[in-house]
Amino acid sequence: MLTAKQHQLLVFIQERLAENGVSPSFDEMKDALGLKSKSGVHRLVNALEERGFIRRMANRARALEVIKMPEKPATTTASNVVAGNFGASPKAATPAPQEDHSIEIPLHGRIAAGTPIEALENRDSFVSVPHGMLGRGNCYALEVSGDSMIELGILDGDTVVIESTEVARDGEVVVALVDREEATLKTLRRNGRFIELVPANRDYKTQVLEADRVKVQGRLVGLLRTYH
Amino acid sequence: MLTAKQHQLLVFIQERLAENGVSPSFDEMKDALGLKSKSGVHRLVNALEERGFIRRMANRARALEVIKMPEKPATTTASNVVAGNFGASPKAATPAPQEDHSIEIPLHGRIAAGTPIEALENRDSFVSVPHGMLGRGNCYALEVSGDSMIELGILDGDTVVIESTEVARDGEVVVALVDREEATLKTLRRNGRFIELVPANRDYKTQVLEADRVKVQGRLVGLLRTYH
DNA sequence: TCGGTATGTTCTCTTTTAGTTCACCTTTTG
DNA sequence: CAAAAGGTGAACTAAAAGAGAACATACCGA
């Protein structure tokens, strides 16, 4: 997924953020990578953003944020679990009491509505949603990335509320896992032994796949958007 | 995500809140940062608000609230997590306030995004919205009727969260009252002594009105949608 | 209700720091 | 070999920051 340079830069950014909470400037990154010009850094940062590893605010100084780290094989079990538990803190143990009017659900990460996945991730963040928005089953939230569902009013940056389910009716918007690796948010259509994943954007094409390559993970039940 | 100054101020605010539960005044922040003028503090506070770290109420004294601290997610490896925690210093002991996860706001009725109003103030119905979605001032909700804002992803039946205000910047989506009788949800554009109310739908026309015929009643800050 | 104190908000200026773009060249890789 | 990823430098634009002053608002007590 990442080239050596991209990885090196990503690690550097994440270290700096962990150290003092301040993201490095382009000049500092330039020096850290031993470069002599910032423009190369600019390209690397764009590449990391495109691939969904970092997020940034356009035209803002030091406004980088690491939103995921590349796969780290091995280590996963012991050390990670321990680290995860510490990070999760008590609040993960008591996820969502609250009252009647709204409920806390976990935010599981981003889903690129247009291309690949990344619907997993830990980050113990929660979103509170009006109770009337929830479905019957377990619900969780995802942040939408990309514009493939724009014609249904689902925009880049929106938060969608998903009800966990493996069944969905024709025409519903679902989180679909393709070939066990690529999750997308699309409208589901059945067509004989094929399943069509239909985007809501003329610039994207419908994917037609054999039914056994597609697994429904959830159903869209709500949407939240914040304007700034 | 943050510059050094922004981070410094955020830490200071959160310490003061943890200490005695009262947010510091602009003058106190000015002194804490070693500045000679409050205006710089004002800008920093705005920057923190824009980046979603704090919330505030307009024109209210000491009304700051820290809603998140700079995250250090993406737990790369065990060692990193440990290092990160030490680096985080005392503040890691008091991780994050964030008490009220959602707030109830009144649902004031429907707003026809296309034509007239219907300011039926049902004092009965309320909607609960995520705490992070609210603006600074008083907020209320309206149900959208019509499709004039469809190209901005605001659909018929959506619930919009409106912050009461009489001022709005160019390009913001506002609730505008025309001739004291017709309220619509539109994008606001200023053009000399005229105000343009721009729909987001090719089938509707922009209204160009003399400024004194238009009164801004609120500003769009959030959107909720439920799928059935 | 009036006035005063404490605070928050804007504005204008100035300096410093940081991000963006472009044209052109080199290296790595499939 | 061609495409993609990197590297360089320079010009340009924009954001962050500091200062100081005028102004606006909230709140409290007489």
Side-chain angles (χ1 to χ4, degrees):
Chain A
M1 194 75 174
L2 292 180
T3 68
K5 273 292 175 192
Q6 288 165 4
H7 187 265
Q8 190 185 346
L9 178 58
L10 180 59
V11 168
F12 173 71
I13 293 172
Q14 119 86 21
E15 269 172 5
R16 288 289 295 261
L17 283 171
E19 257 171 46
N20 48 27
V22 177
S23 38
S25 70
F26 277 54
D27 260 305
E28 290 165 351
M29 294 188 267
K30 178 202 72 184
D31 293 338
L33 298 188
L35 302 181
K36 288 174 184 164
S37 163
K38 304 186 279 190
S39 56
V41 174
H42 196 267
R43 258 187 312 223
L44 289 172
V45 168
N46 281 337
L48 286 175
E49 190 183 16
E50 257 179 35
R51 290 165 172 73
F53 288 87
I54 65 176
R55 177 170 2 184
R56 59 200 297 241
M57 297 178 68
N59 299 315
R60 282 287 181 287
R62 296 168 185 268
L64 301 180
E65 188 184 1
V66 175
I67 54 183
K68 78 181 182 196
M69 288 297 283
E71 291 302 315
K72 28 165 187 199
T75 63
T76 19
T77 47
S79 60
N80 245 328
V81 170
V82 174
N85 285 342
F86 278 121
S89 81
K91 78 174 177 250
T94 43
Q98 200 72 22
E99 297 163 33
D100 308 320
H101 301 299
S102 74
I103 299 180
E104 296 261 298
I105 62 176
L107 178 58
H108 275 180
R110 308 186 98 197
I111 181 166
T115 26
I117 65 167
E118 237 50 64
L120 26 152
E121 319 235 353
N122 37 350
R123 115 144 52 177
D124 40 40
S125 44
F126 288 80
V127 181
S128 92
V129 305
H131 79 299
M133 186 178 281
L134 298 176
R136 300 178 202 173
N138 284 329
C139 288
Y140 57 94
L142 296 174
E143 190 182 326
V144 174
S145 160
D147 56 0
S148 79
M149 297 300 282
I150 201 169
E151 287 164 23
L152 280 178
I154 301 171
L155 311 186
D156 189 53
D158 286 357
T159 298
V160 287
V161 180
I162 305 294
E163 175 191 336
S164 284
T165 176
E166 300 201 349
V167 297
R169 274 168 300 190
D170 210 55
E172 284 186 328
V173 175
V174 300
V175 174
L177 186 66
V178 178
D179 294 335
R180 296 189 167 279
E181 55 180 32
E182 178 181 335
T184 67
L185 189 68
K186 292 278 162 35
T187 299
L188 182 87
R189 294 262 174 230
R190 294 179 197 288
N191 189 344
R193 66 186 187 84
F194 293 97
I195 283 183
E196 300 178 359
L197 299 178
V198 188
N201 184 331
R202 284 148 229 223
D203 299 337
Y204 291 81
K205 284 195 299 189
T206 295
Q207 285 180 280
V208 181
L209 301 160
E210 289 125 60
D212 59 4
R213 293 178 59 193
V214 180
K215 190 170 170 223
V216 172
Q217 295 196 308
R219 190 169 74 81
L220 175 64
V221 296
L223 181 143
L224 306 172
R225 183 184 304 151
T226 300
Y227 294 85
H228 291 294
Chain B
M1 198 62 172
L2 297 177
T3 66
K5 276 290 175 197
Q6 291 162 5
H7 187 263
Q8 191 185 345
L9 178 58
L10 179 60
V11 168
F12 174 70
I13 293 171
Q14 120 85 22
E15 270 170 6
R16 289 288 294 262
L17 282 170
E19 259 172 45
N20 47 26
V22 183
S23 41
S25 71
F26 275 53
D27 261 305
E28 289 166 349
M29 293 188 267
K30 179 202 72 184
D31 294 338
L33 298 189
L35 301 181
K36 289 174 184 165
S37 160
K38 297 185 288 187
S39 62
V41 174
H42 196 268
R43 260 188 316 227
L44 289 171
V45 168
N46 281 335
L48 287 175
E49 190 184 18
E50 181 191 26
R51 288 165 174 71
F53 289 88
I54 64 176
R55 173 210 315 291
R56 57 210 283 247
M57 300 195 332
N59 296 313
R60 285 289 184 294
R62 297 169 185 271
L64 299 181
E65 186 186 359
V66 175
I67 54 183
K68 78 177 178 193
M69 288 299 283
E71 287 190 65
K72 301 144 191 174
T75 49
T76 24
T77 63
S79 61
N80 241 330
V81 169
V82 174
N85 283 343
F86 277 120
S89 79
K91 75 175 180 255
T94 42
Q98 195 169 25
E99 287 309 310
D100 306 319
H101 295 295
S102 70
I103 298 178
E104 298 261 301
I105 62 173
L107 178 59
H108 275 181
R110 286 166 74 87
I111 180 165
T115 27
I117 61 171
E118 203 160 338
L120 34 133
E121 312 219 344
N122 295 2
R123 293 295 177 191
D124 310 334
S125 43
F126 284 81
V127 183
S128 93
V129 306
H131 161 282
M133 186 179 280
L134 298 175
R136 298 190 206 170
N138 283 328
C139 289
Y140 57 94
L142 296 173
E143 189 182 329
V144 174
S145 157
D147 57 0
S148 78
M149 296 301 281
I150 200 168
E151 287 163 25
L152 280 177
I154 302 171
L155 312 186
D156 189 52
D158 287 356
T159 298
V160 288
V161 180
I162 305 294
E163 174 191 335
S164 286
T165 175
E166 301 202 347
V167 296
R169 273 168 299 193
D170 212 54
E172 285 186 327
V173 175
V174 300
V175 174
L177 186 66
V178 178
D179 293 336
R180 298 187 167 280
E181 56 181 28
E182 178 182 338
T184 66
L185 189 68
K186 292 278 162 36
T187 300
L188 181 86
R189 293 263 173 228
R190 295 178 197 287
N191 190 344
R193 66 187 186 86
F194 293 98
I195 285 185
E196 299 177 2
L197 299 178
V198 188
N201 184 331
R202 284 149 230 220
D203 299 337
Y204 291 79
K205 284 195 298 187
T206 295
Q207 288 179 278
V208 182
L209 301 161
E210 289 125 61
D212 59 5
R213 292 179 59 194
V214 179
K215 191 170 169 220
V216 172
Q217 294 197 308
R219 190 170 75 83
L220 176 64
V221 296
L223 181 144
L224 307 172
R225 182 183 305 153
T226 301
Y227 294 85
H228 296 291

